[in-house]
Amino acid sequence: MARGRGDNMEDEGSTDMPASEGTMTVPSFRVGRIIGRRGAKIRELQDRSRAKIDVTDEVDEDDMTLIRISGSADQIDHAKSLISRLIQNRDEMGGEAPARRDRGGDRPTRNQEFYEPSVTFQIPDDKCGLVIGSRGSKIREIQQETGATIDVGRRDTAVDGFVTVSLTGDQEACDAAEKIIKDLVIESQNKDKIEKPPPSEVMDVSIDLTRRIIGPMGATVRDIQERTNTEIEIARRSTAVNGIVRLSITGDAKDAAAAKRIIQDILDEGDAPSLVMMIEERFCGLIIGGRGSKIRQLQDSTGTAIKIDKKSEAKDGKVQVVISGSESQCAAAQHEINAIIAESQDEL
C-alpha cells in the first residue's frame, strides 16, 4: 500500500454517511502546493472538505501523482474541487488567481497563494539525482518541508554542465527550499573534494556498456572492488565524448591491473545485443516511465543496457527492445518487462 501523507485526519463529521473512496491525479510538480509547508495546506483542505486526503507515492508514466480521497460522496467531490482549483491557480473560494508578481515589483502579501516562479538558480547537472532522490523521494521531502513547488531541469537541458532549478511559492518557502538544496549540493561537493591518489589504471568504455560493469544495483562493481581491493570510478554520462566515458581504477598497481583484467573480461563477453524482444508500441511509455524513470530503474536493478526503438520505427504496431548484458541479466530484464506488460493488461 502506498505511503500516504494525509493520515492524521480525524474522521469528524463522516459518521452519518458510509465512507467511500475516490481518486484523482495531479501533476507531480504540484504536490508541494497541495501539501503545503509542514503539511499545513493538506490539513486545511481536509478541514474544509471533511474528507481524508492521501497524497500517495504512486506516479504514472506521465509524471502524474495519484491522490486517494475518502469520505462521503459530497465530501469527496468537495475535496476534488478544492484541489483542482488549487493547482489551477485559483483560490479555494473560486476567485481568480491573484495578480502575478512583476519582475522588480512589490513583494506579494502573505494571503496571496500563487506566484510565478519566485526563485531560479543553477546546480551542477551531476547533482540532479541528489536533489530529486530515488523515485523523487528527496524532492517530495523538500516540498513537504518547505511548502515550495520545485522543478529541477532535466540533465539533457544542461548548459555548460549546469541545470536550472525553479522554485514557486511565497518568499519564505522558496528561501527555505533554496537553502536546503544548496546545502545538499555544497555538502556533496565538499565530499568530492577529498583528495584521492591518482588512478593506477584508466580505461575508455562505451557508455552503453557501463551498466554491465556496474551490475544490478551496483553489485558487479562492488564485487570487483572487494575482490581486488581497489576503487573504481566511472565518469558520469554527461562527460561522454563520442559515446565514450573514462573509467578510473585506484589502488596498488598489481590490484588495479587485476581489476582491469576482470573489467575487460566483462566487456569482452560480446558487444552484440544479448537479447532482442518485440513489444506493442502502446507499452513503450510504461517501460520508459516519466522522464525515463522506469527504464533507468530496470537497467539499475538488472545491470543491463536497454534500448527501445522509437514509435516511428514500429513495424506492424510493434517496436524492438534490445537488452545488453550477461545471459542472466538479460533474462531478468526481459522478465521485468513482461511483468509490467502483463500487469497493465490485467488492469484493462
Side-chain angles (χ1 to χ4, degrees):
M1 181 175 180
R3 177 176 60 84
R5 284 167 272 181
D7 295 336
N8 62 342
M9 165 76 175
E10 295 183 6
D11 294 327
E12 298 179 22
S14 62
T15 57
D16 54 341
M17 294 187 69
S20 56
E21 182 179 274
T23 62
M24 66 184 299
T25 58
V26 301
S28 294
F29 70 92
R30 295 296 190 195
V31 167
R33 175 174 291 177
I34 296 167
I35 295 172
R37 185 173 176 82
R38 299 184 184 276
K41 176 56 66 176
I42 197 170
R43 287 195 294 273
E44 177 188 338
L45 293 170
Q46 291 182 132
D47 288 341
R48 297 189 63 176
S49 67
R50 317 301 293 176
K52 177 180 177 181
I53 303 172
D54 175 15
V55 180
T56 75
D57 286 335
E58 299 176 40
V59 181
D60 65 18
E61 62 270 20
D62 295 321
D63 206 24
M64 300 289 285
T65 293
L66 177 69
I67 297 180
R68 301 184 189 278
I69 307 171
S70 302
S72 69
D74 288 343
Q75 291 167 348
I76 292 172
D77 289 342
H78 189 193
K80 287 183 176 181
S81 177
L82 292 176
I83 293 171
S84 295
R85 288 202 293 268
L86 183 62
I87 64 176
Q88 291 171 4
N89 287 2
R90 296 175 180 269
D91 66 26
E92 296 91 327
M93 300 305 294
E96 294 298 326
R100 294 175 176 176
R101 176 174 56 177
D102 293 327
R103 182 177 298 177
D106 294 333
R107 178 178 176 174
T109 59
R110 291 290 297 172
N111 64 346
Q112 287 180 316
E113 186 71 39
F114 309 106
Y115 316 98
E116 288 295 291
S118 306
V119 175
T120 60
F121 58 96
Q122 293 185 316
I123 63 172
D125 66 339
D126 64 334
K127 303 302 179 186
C128 289
L130 179 73
V131 176
I132 296 171
S134 176
R135 300 185 183 181
S137 58
K138 191 62 181 181
I139 198 170
R140 286 195 297 269
E141 176 187 324
I142 299 172
Q143 290 182 139
Q144 185 173 3
E145 173 70 18
T146 65
T149 297
I150 305 170
D151 180 38
V152 179
R154 300 190 307 274
R155 294 188 68 172
D156 58 9
T157 66
V159 177
D160 296 329
F162 287 85
V163 298
T164 298
V165 178
S166 300
L167 308 178
T168 306
D170 63 38
Q171 196 63 46
E172 181 182 357
C174 290
D175 288 345
E178 182 179 15
K179 183 178 186 304
I180 290 173
I181 293 171
K182 287 185 174 179
D183 285 349
L184 280 173
V185 171
I186 290 172
E187 181 181 356
S188 177
Q189 288 175 327
N190 288 338
K191 290 180 180 178
D192 293 342
K193 289 179 182 177
I194 298 176
E195 292 187 6
K196 297 180 181 179
S200 305
E201 295 282 357
V202 175
M203 303 175 67
D204 291 330
V205 180
S206 167
I207 57 175
D208 293 331
L209 299 177
T210 54
R211 294 185 188 277
R212 184 178 298 180
I213 300 168
I214 295 169
M217 307 302 290
T220 301
V221 73
R222 284 196 303 271
D223 178 63
I224 299 172
Q225 292 178 130
E226 290 172 2
R227 288 165 57 190
T228 61
N229 194 32
T230 58
E231 181 177 343
I232 299 170
E233 181 178 352
I234 302 175
R236 63 181 187 270
R237 296 172 71 87
S238 60
T239 65
V241 177
N242 297 325
I244 302 296
V245 294
R246 180 61 54 88
L247 182 149
S248 303
I249 307 172
T250 305
D252 177 85
K254 185 176 180 180
D255 293 335
K260 183 177 181 179
R261 286 195 298 271
I262 295 173
I263 292 171
Q264 192 61 57
D265 287 343
I266 293 173
L267 298 177
D268 289 343
E269 287 181 0
D271 296 331
S274 301
L275 188 149
V276 176
M277 60 186 297
M278 304 296 292
I279 65 171
E280 294 182 35
E281 61 177 311
R282 62 193 176 105
F283 294 124
C284 287
L286 287 175
I287 307 302
I288 296 171
R291 297 183 179 181
S293 59
K294 190 62 180 179
I295 196 169
R296 286 195 299 271
Q297 178 190 339
L298 287 170
Q299 293 177 129
D300 290 341
S301 64
T302 62
T304 58
I306 302 174
K307 181 180 181 299
I308 301 178
D309 284 351
K310 297 177 182 178
K311 288 186 177 181
S312 59
E313 298 173 330
K315 296 180 181 178
D316 298 325
K318 293 187 176 183
V319 297
Q320 178 175 272
V321 179
V322 180
I323 307 173
S324 300
S326 68
E327 183 177 348
S328 61
Q329 290 171 342
C330 291
Q334 183 182 36
H335 174 77
E336 292 292 335
I337 292 173
N338 286 333
I340 293 171
I341 293 173
E343 182 179 354
S344 174
Q345 290 175 323
D346 288 343
E347 294 175 354
L348 295 179

